[in-house]
Amino acid sequence: MAALDDPLPVGKPTPMMAQYLRLREEAGDALLFYRMGDFFELFFEDAKTAAAILDIALTTRGEHGGAPIPMCGVPVHSAESYLARLIKAGCRVAIAEQIETPDEAKARAKREGTPSSKVLVGRAIVRLVTAGTLTEEALLEPRRANVLVALAELRDAIGVAAVDVSTGAMVLEECAADQLGAVLARLNPSEVVVPEDWQHGPEEAIFRPRSTFASDAGGERLKAVHGVATLDAFGSFTRAMLAAAGGLVSYLDHVGRGSLPLLLPPVARETASTMAMDAATRGSLEILESAQGGRAGSLIGAVDRCVTGAGSRLLAEDLSAPLLDADAIEARLALVQFWRDRPIERAQLRDILRAIPDLGRALGRVVARRGSPRDLGQLRDGLSEAMRLHHWLAGAPERPALLAEVTARLTGHGALTDLLSRALVPTPPTERSSGGFIADGYDAALDELRATSGDARRAIAAMEARYRDETGIATLKIRHNGVLGYFIEVAVRHADALMAPDSGFTHRQTMAGAVRFNSLKLHEEAARIAEAGGHALACEEAHFEALVAEVVAAREAIAATAAAIARLDVGAGNAERAGEADWCRPELLDEPCLAITAGRHPVVEAALARTGERFVANDCSLASDNRLWLIGGPNMGGKSTFLRQNALIVLLAQAGCFVPASAARIGLVDRLFSRVGAADNLARGRSTFMVEMVETAAILAQATSRSFVILDEVGRGTSTYDGLALAWAVAEAVHSRIACRCLFATHYHELARLAETCEALSLHHVRAREWQGDLVLLHELADGPADRSYGLAVARLAGVPAPVVARAKAVLEKLEAQREATGGIAAGLGDLPLFANLRAPEPQQASPELQLADSLRAADLDALTPREALDLLYEWKRGLPGARG
C-alpha cells in the first residue's frame, strides 16, 4: 500500500521506482496502471499520454535521472470508466496489482532479514486490458459483439480464429488470401493478432511469436482448454484453423497472465456458406454503421427491434453474414412468420425477454474470474425466466422447427437455479468484498457468525447508553472508522472528565471540536465484531467460489440457453419490424432472378416517416434474359437509393428477415457488390477515382454469374472520354462475361446504345419534370432511356448562383448544338470565347479592347522569346479597330 512506499527522492531510484521500471519494461507497448493504495498511478510518458486522453491533472513526483517524474492517477473504484476511454482511444493497459498485503510484506521482510521500514509491497502485472479481450460490463457496448481474431497462413491458406471473449463463442474458418479482406470485414474485429513479421494482416495488428501459431500446438491447446482427448466431437478443423486457434489461445493466456476467459467449443465455419461482401460493399450499404459513424442511419439501426443486447448482437451477426443455405434461411423466416401471425403472444414474449439479463456476458465474467455476486444473481434470474419460457412455448401449437429447437435449449438448469436461489439474497451487490450476498438460512455457521456480530453491535449500542448515564454526557457517542475502529467521542468541553486516571477511558485522538477515547470493554466488543465479521466474510467468499464452480461446470449448457434466448429475440424483433411497415416474407429461389414489387429502402423510408413524408416504392425485375438494368435520370432523382434498396432487400432476405416490399422473389446471391459513392483515401494515397477503379476491379475479378452487383456512375472521376469508355467496357463485361444480375446507374446517355448489342440489357430512368422553372423529382422508375439529365435544374435547386447557372446553360446549348451537327461528345468547346460576363443570361461577344486585356492577362511574358513577343504584339494590333498593319 501507499503507506509502505516512500516518496521518490532526488538521486538514485528507490526500490519502488526500480520495481516500477521492471514492470514498465514487462508491459511493453501498453500503458502501466501501477497500484498504489486506492489509486492506479501512471508515470513518465504513460502519464503524459493518459492525462491528455483522460483530461486529468498531470503532476510530478520526485526526480529520476535529474528530471521531475511526470505522474497522474485514477481511483481504483472508478478505474473502469477511465479504462474504457483509454481503450476507445486505441491504448492497451497493463494492470499492476499489489499481490500481498502490508502485513504479508512485513512478514516476508522478517523472513528475509530485511528491516520492515524498507519493505516494499510486492506487485505484478495481473492482466493486460486490450480492445479485444474486454469482459467488464462498463467497458462493452451491450448491442455490439467484441471480437478478437487471430490469423495464421499455412500452405497458401489463411486460418482465421475468432472469439467474442465476453460470451466465449469461438469460430474457426479458412480462406484464400484474396478473401481475407471480406472475411475481416464480416467479422469486424476489435483486435487482430498475427505472427511476427507477417505482412498480410491489417495495419493495426498485434504481432506475436511465430512459435505460438504452430498447428500441432494449437490442437493441443484446444484439447487442454476443453478437457478432451480429441477434437472430433467439435468438428473437422484444417491445420491452418488450428494454427490460428493456437495463436489466439496463446494470446489470451498472455494477456490474462495465465488465466483464460470463457472459451466455448470451437465451431468450424465454411467461408462459402455465407454471402461474400467486401469492406467497400459493407461501407457503401451502411449495414452496421452509417457513413457518419454509429448505428443511427445504418441498416441495423432501421431494422433492430430486439429487446435484449444479446438479440441485437445476433441480429448484427445475421446481417453481416447472410446465408446461402435455402433451408436455413427458410427456418429463420418461418420463426419470424410464427411471431408475425401472433401479435398478442409476440408482445408477451418481448415483455419476458426484456426482463432477462444478458446471460452470455454474465457467464463470461464469472468464468473469467471477474464476476460478482450480481452476475450470479443475473444467471439465477435469467435461467429461471428461461425455464418459464420453456414451459410456455413447449405447448405452443404449430411450432416451426427452429422454435422447437431453441425451446429445447431453454431448460435443464433446475438444480443450478435452485442452488443459486437458496444461496443468494434477492438483489446481490456488485462487490463481494463487504459480504452480505449469501442469504440467511443457507449456512447455519454463517448465520451464527452474523448473529455474534449483530449481538456485539447491540452490545455496543447498550454500552453507549450506559456510558452516557455513568458520565452524565448526553452527547457521548460510540463511532467507527477505518483507521481507529470503534472509539468513544465527546465534545472538547467534556473531555477532562474522561481524562482522569480512574475514569476507565484511554485517550486516543484530539480533534478540533472533539476528543476520542477507548475503553477495555469497547475494545473487547470491537474485537468480537472484527473476528466474527472476518470469519463471516471468509465464509461468504468460500460460498462464492463454490457457486462459481457450479456455474463453470454448466457453462456450455448456460451458453446454449443464452444463444436460444437471443434467437427468440431476433425472430420476435424481426416480426415486430415487419408488422410496423407491412414487410413481406421473401421467396427464395435457385435461379437468377430478382423480382421485387413495391420495394423500399428501409433506412430512407424510416427517415421520411419521421418527417411525415411518404417513400415512393419501385419495382425491380431482373431475370436471365433481362439481367442488367441501365438506369439514367437526374441527380437526387433516386437512382442510388433504388440501387441500394434492392441490395439491402437481397441481404435482408438471405439473413432470414422479412423485407420492405409488397412481394419479393429472390434467386440466391453468392456475392454482393456495391460500388456506390466512393470517397478518396488520402491515408493510402488514393484519389476518389482510384478508389472507384480498385472497387470496380474487385467486382470484375470476383463476381460470378450468381452474384448481384450495383454500380453507380462508373467513370465519373476522370475525363469525359475516359469515363465513358470505362463505363461502356465495364457494362459490357458485367453483361457478357460475368453475366450476373446488375443495376447500373449512369449519366452517360451514350451508353443507351449498348441496348442494341447486349440482348439482356434494358434501359430505365427515374422520372423528373420541370414545372415553371423548378425541378420536380418524382422518384419513380420508368422504362426507357432518360430524355435529359436535368443537371442545371439540380444545380439551381442546390443553390448555385443564377449567373453561374445561366452561363452553364449557354455552354450546354452550344455543346448540344455542336453535338447535333457533328455527333461529337464535346464538339464546339474550341469555338467558345475564353471568358464571358457571368451576369449576362446569354454569352456576348466581348469588345476588342476587352479581348486585348484578357489576352494580355493570359500571356506569360517571361516565357516568350523576342520573336514570339513581337508576333503577339502584331496580333494585338490587328485586333484593334482602325489599326493599320
Side-chain angles (χ1 to χ4, degrees), residues 386-465:
M387 291 177 65
R388 188 159 75 93
L389 270 178
H390 170 78
H391 295 318
W392 178 44
L393 296 175
E398 301 176 357
R399 288 186 303 165
L402 185 54
L403 180 56
E405 179 185 330
V406 299
T407 301
R409 299 204 301 264
L410 296 174
T411 189
H413 309 290
L416 180 60
T417 54
D418 178 66
L419 173 63
L420 294 175
S421 297
R422 289 187 294 107
L424 298 172
V425 296
T427 308
T430 56
E431 296 292 334
R432 68 178 195 263
S433 57
S434 300
F437 54 85
I438 297 297
D440 291 335
Y442 179 69
D443 182 349
L446 176 60
D447 293 343
E448 186 176 343
L449 289 170
R450 287 173 172 170
T452 300
S453 179
D455 290 343
R457 284 184 170 86
R458 284 188 289 272
I460 287 178
M463 188 185 301
E464 181 183 78

Side-chain angles (χ1 to χ4, degrees), residues 217-235:
E220 293 303 318
R221 282 183 177 274
L222 288 180
K223 293 174 189 177
V225 167
H226 299 290
V228 297
T230 175
L231 300 175
D232 293 347
F234 302 147

Side-chain angles (χ1 to χ4, degrees), residues 19 343 347 593 619:
Q19 182 191 66
C593 66
D619 298 346

Side-chain angles (χ1 to χ4, degrees), residues 15-36 41 43 46 94-99 120-126 128 257:
M16 191 205 80
M17 181 49 59
Q19 182 191 66
Y20 170 83
L21 293 174
R22 175 179 59 79
L23 294 173
R24 174 87 278 291
E25 184 178 2
E26 184 182 341
D29 62 352
L31 302 178
L32 180 63
F33 267 33
Y34 183 82
R35 178 75 178 264
M36 295 179 66
E41 305 289 3
F43 300 100
D46 287 359
I95 306 295
E97 282 281 8
Q98 296 167 180
I99 57 175
L120 184 68
V121 173
R123 293 180 177 84
I125 294 176
V126 298
L128 212 60
R257 289 305 190 260

Side-chain angles (χ1 to χ4, degrees), residues 314-339:
L314 182 58
L315 176 62
E317 184 179 334
D318 289 350
L319 295 178
S320 296
L323 301 175
L324 296 182
D325 185 340
D327 292 337
I329 298 170
E330 289 296 343
R332 291 182 184 178
L333 292 173
L335 181 61
V336 178
Q337 186 73 61
F338 179 85
W339 294 115

Side-chain angles (χ1 to χ4, degrees), residues 9 24 70 174 293 390 443 496 523 578 580 644 656 678 681 714 761 788 819 862:
R24 174 87 278 291
E174 182 180 290
H390 170 78
D443 182 349
D496 290 345
H523 177 73
E580 288 175 0
R644 284 190 174 104
N681 188 337
V714 172
L761 181 150
R788 50 189 297 200
R819 183 179 63 187
D862 292 332

